[in-house]
Amino acid sequence: MSYPIPTNREELLNLCRQPADSETLATAIVGIIQLARIQGQSLADLQAEILTEDPLLEPRQRQWLSDLLLSTWQQLEATPPQHSDDSF
């Protein structure tokens, strides 16, 4: 199943209610990055949130997630936006 990229907090929360698999997680990460950009957050801001001490994730897991955000953020910057067929 293909999930649309979340464009707001409610859609992101709805996505989190889906069974966790690699596609759902990838979609959520892209959605989080896009929402952060819309809110004017930088990559450093987002990474600082991820690296903040939290009982949910161990430090190594937070660092892995921070690195994943960096990689995804850079890939999104390098990828031209995709247009729907309606825009032509």
Side-chain angles (χ1 to χ4, degrees):
M1 175 178 274
S2 183
Y3 298 103
I5 303 299
T7 58
N8 59 52
R9 190 174 195 84
E10 183 178 323
E11 290 176 2
L12 185 59
L13 291 173
N14 286 336
L15 181 63
C16 292
R17 293 182 184 105
Q18 302 301 318
D21 61 20
S22 59
E23 184 179 350
T24 307
L25 295 173
T27 302
I29 289 169
V30 171
I32 288 168
I33 290 171
Q34 289 183 344
L35 290 174
R37 287 178 169 172
I38 289 168
Q39 295 172 358
Q41 287 184 292
S42 67
L43 173 59
D45 295 333
L46 193 54
Q47 286 180 303
E49 284 184 38
I50 296 299
L51 294 172
T52 300
E53 206 50 48
D54 184 292
L56 185 62
L57 297 174
E58 296 175 7
R60 192 171 74 195
Q61 293 170 317
R62 287 194 303 272
Q63 184 59 54
W64 176 85
L65 185 54
S66 175
D67 294 343
L68 181 60
L69 285 171
L70 169 64
S71 174
T72 305
W73 186 290
Q74 291 172 337
Q75 287 177 3
L76 290 173
E77 285 181 337
T79 305
Q82 295 194 4
H83 302 283
S84 69
D85 293 336
D86 299 344
S87 64
F88 295 104

